[in-house]
Amino acid sequence: MPETTPRGLTRLAFGGDYNPEQWPESVWQEDVRLMREAGVTMVSVGIFSWALLEPSPGAYDFGWLDRILGLLHENGIRVDLGTPTVVPPAWFYRAHPEALPVTAEGVRYEFGSRGAICHSNADYRAAAASITTKLAERYGDHPALALWHVHNEYGVPVSACYCDPCAAHFRRWLADTYGSVEGVNEAWGTAFWGQHYTDLEQINPPRATPTVGNPAQALDYRRFADATVRENFRTERDILHRLSPGIPVTTNFMTALSQCDSMDYWAWGREVDLVTNDHYLITDGRRTHVNLAMAADLTRSVAGGAPWLLLEHSTSGVNWQPRNPAKAPGQMARNSLGHVARGSDGAMFFQWRQSRRGAEKFHSAMLPHGGTQTRVWREVVELGAAVDSLAPVRGTRTRADAAVLWDWQSWWAQNLQWRPSEDHDPRERADAFYEALYDRHLTVDFAHPEADLSAYPLVVVPALYLMTEAAGNNLREYVENGGTLVVSYFSGIVDEHDAVHRGAYPGALREVLGLTVEEFSPLLQDERVRVTGRDSSELTGDVWTEFVVPRGAETVWTYADGLAAGHPAVTRHRLGEGTAWYVSTRLDAHGLDALIGWAAEDARIAPCADLPRDVEVVRRSGESGSFLFAINHTATDAKVPLDAHGTELLTGERAAGRLAVPAGAVRVVRLDG
């Protein structure tokens, strides 16, 4: 089995992308001296360096990379070495312009950015394999090498190409997937609108058409594009495994639903030796620390619960959003240690030294333009010391209280055209349900709909439009065996080919929910409905309503107005030893909190009444002990109850009873016993 932890790294990873090629060699010594001052343990090198490593076809210049790797090794800094295949050199595109991707509208992109790659292109594949081989042969046993880093942020900014070679590759994929053109016709339902094919050669990618195309074809093309990119990753990975045995291979994911929607990370998580992730705060007015926690939980789940690694985040503001505010004092540490609390074995940044030129010169860095006299630098040094003190946490696992089901392929399917309402956004529902769980201080695992759910007393389904029969059976068995399930509207509707399940909605979930839905009735923009029921209180819904018919489920809340007035809005179904809840409208935050509260009672999850809002408490445990992370995102000092005595690792103080967590601070207690 390949190694799953960076070789030679005995502490948590702390550092960032290092691009020494942007600077004269006279700066390198200062960089390394300051890295030591900041407590840097690892840096990522070479990710965008193909043009310098191979300045002309077959001619290589490794001298500068030899020198920087030697300097880093001499100073005890480990290296995450990149294969630079995200940006082929200009000479490559001059010789192979067809390697540039083509949009669905037929426009071919130009060289001058990054990630402009047709992943079906044979010349690109050969060139990528060649430079990866050269790097592995030269540095596969280098003493500084801790980790191989293939490519960079697959799927961003281009995830699919629609050129003729991709069309041919797609046909081969369809033949492998379905066996024949008849299989494709059946899966895609081509009898509709006369789209029947008699030969696979007649099939093209879902390019621009006069009106909506075949949704099943579009869904399969997303699967094909993802599989093609993953195939290229495997090619590089296998070269590195062969020539550099014992060194784990990764590529940096972007699991946050706010940052990448084109990769099926359940599939990707099985391909890497160590799951790593890049995360950047989306400054859209939301509580950014909740999005951060959600992304970290999702990344840990993609890793199967094992420790993972935060490979990129920012010290302060970024530069690619419409508005890019700086992080407040102390926020860098809270962000970094929030990821560590939720399973990361380190905190790395983009990037070490802030660039003077190029598209990201206003993106923050560990060493800002202002140098060591800046607030950011001082906080970096403080954070380095804090991360070093948390070395015992390395290798432990985060403990979860509940699970949220998520499937990237369902997301792809629901976001295709001509759905009942453009206002129903699966990402928004996932964010909203996660936030409701977060506000009840529940740590969340994410799970695939067909995964084993037996460890979770509570499972939440925010949005699963596409659900296989196997997934439906899985949820039924989960509830029958004593689980508590919460399902939101427009879930269980279609199978893996975007075909509506036979019979009434919600096909795959009818039995477990104990109901049918006769008709969807989405609301107009800004239209709302009142929902009345339990405790004589009133909730509010918008975006969506349904005509729900109980088939064993009890009505808990009822629509008080709107077309669905008098029909159930929220139901509860006892099945076997467990309970399944269904909500057929988009409840606001107050309503979701009430719903999750009722379900938590069914699941026998005790409320955390002693914890203020926005003070998060997360636990990691393993052979080295049990650790409680308390992160105070508020402007008020807080007290966190402890169920055991322990030692606070950041201050060295003993802790018992109630742990004091100052405003904006983080505390980590290693519990006794």
Side-chain angles (χ1 to χ4, degrees), residues 39 86 234 328 333 397 415 428 451 480 504 521 530 541 564 581 592 640:
V86 67
R234 283 198 298 268
R397 294 189 173 218
N415 282 345
E428 183 279 331
E480 287 176 336
S521 185
R530 293 182 299 114
W581 290 80
L592 276 187
V640 171

Side-chain angles (χ1 to χ4, degrees), residues 2-18:
E3 291 295 324
T4 59
T5 57
R7 186 183 69 173
L9 193 62
T10 58
R11 297 174 288 166
L12 296 181
F14 183 67
D17 283 33
Y18 182 37

Side-chain angles (χ1 to χ4, degrees), residues 401-405 437 445 447-449 452-462 464 474-475 478-479 483-487 579-581 596 599 603 605:
D401 304 300
V404 169
L405 299 194
L437 292 163
D445 278 347
H448 187 274
D452 179 7
L453 304 172
S454 58
Y456 305 105
L458 176 63
V459 170
V460 175
V461 180
L464 276 178
N474 187 43
L475 294 185
Y478 166 75
V479 173
T484 299
L485 178 69
V486 178
V487 178
T579 306
W581 290 80
I596 294 299
I605 296 175

Side-chain angles (χ1 to χ4, degrees), residues 327-387:
K327 290 185 177 180
Q331 189 177 2
M332 180 204 307
R334 289 197 304 278
N335 290 169
S336 301
L337 299 184
H339 286 287
V340 174
R342 295 176 186 272
S344 176
D345 270 359
M348 308 260 300
F349 295 91
F350 182 85
Q351 57 181 323
W352 163 251
R353 182 183 282 270
Q354 196 168 14
S355 299
R356 290 186 57 229
R357 298 177 174 87
E360 294 185 288
K361 55 183 171 288
F362 298 117
H363 189 296
S364 62
M366 298 176 77
L367 183 59
H369 292 308
T372 59
Q373 303 305 309
T374 58
R375 172 181 69 89
V376 166
W377 172 254
R378 291 190 293 273
E379 291 194 21
V380 163
V381 174
E382 292 172 2
L383 178 59
V387 169

Side-chain angles (χ1 to χ4, degrees), residues 41 85 133 152 226 292 302 415:
T41 59
T85 51
T133 299
N152 183 72
D226 176 53
L292 184 154
V302 167
N415 282 345

Side-chain angles (χ1 to χ4, degrees), residues 6-9 41-45 65-81 138-148 244 247-248:
R7 186 183 69 173
L9 193 62
T41 59
M42 187 168 76
V43 292
S44 301
V45 175
L65 188 54
D66 290 345
R67 293 191 294 277
I68 195 61
L69 293 187
L71 181 61
L72 292 167
H73 176 61
E74 290 169 8
N75 285 273
I77 299 169
R78 311 298 296 160
V79 172
D80 165 38
L81 185 56
R138 190 172 188 92
Y139 301 111
D141 60 356
H142 194 285
L145 183 62
L147 183 67
W148 283 106
S244 184
I247 305 297

Side-chain angles (χ1 to χ4, degrees), residues 271-341:
E271 301 291 352
V272 296
D273 300 330
L274 169 66
V275 167
T276 62
N277 195 53
D278 297 352
H279 181 264
Y280 293 96
L281 300 182
I282 301 300
T283 53
D284 58 0
R286 305 187 191 197
R287 297 154 70 201
T288 56
H289 55 278
V290 180
N291 175 272
L292 184 154
M294 181 177 177
D297 284 345
L298 188 50
T299 307
R300 181 186 68 254
S301 303
V302 167
W308 54 281
L309 179 58
L310 175 66
L311 209 52
E312 287 186 27
H313 73 311
S314 66
T315 57
S316 192
V318 297
N319 73 321
W320 39 264
Q321 298 183 75
R323 288 158 290 280
N324 299 281
K327 290 185 177 180
Q331 189 177 2
M332 180 204 307
R334 289 197 304 278
N335 290 169
S336 301
L337 299 184
H339 286 287
V340 174

Side-chain angles (χ1 to χ4, degrees), residues 574-624:
R574 297 180 184 271
L575 182 65
E577 301 297 318
T579 306
W581 290 80
Y582 183 62
V583 55
S584 63
T585 187
R586 191 177 80 163
L587 295 176
D588 59 17
H590 170 69
L592 276 187
D593 177 69
L595 175 65
I596 294 299
W598 304 327
E601 288 180 16
D602 280 349
R604 297 180 177 85
I605 296 175
C608 299
D610 289 343
L611 289 178
R613 189 172 190 255
D614 290 328
V615 175
E616 62 181 275
V617 175
V618 184
R619 295 172 184 263
R620 288 184 65 162
S621 60
E623 292 183 1
S624 59

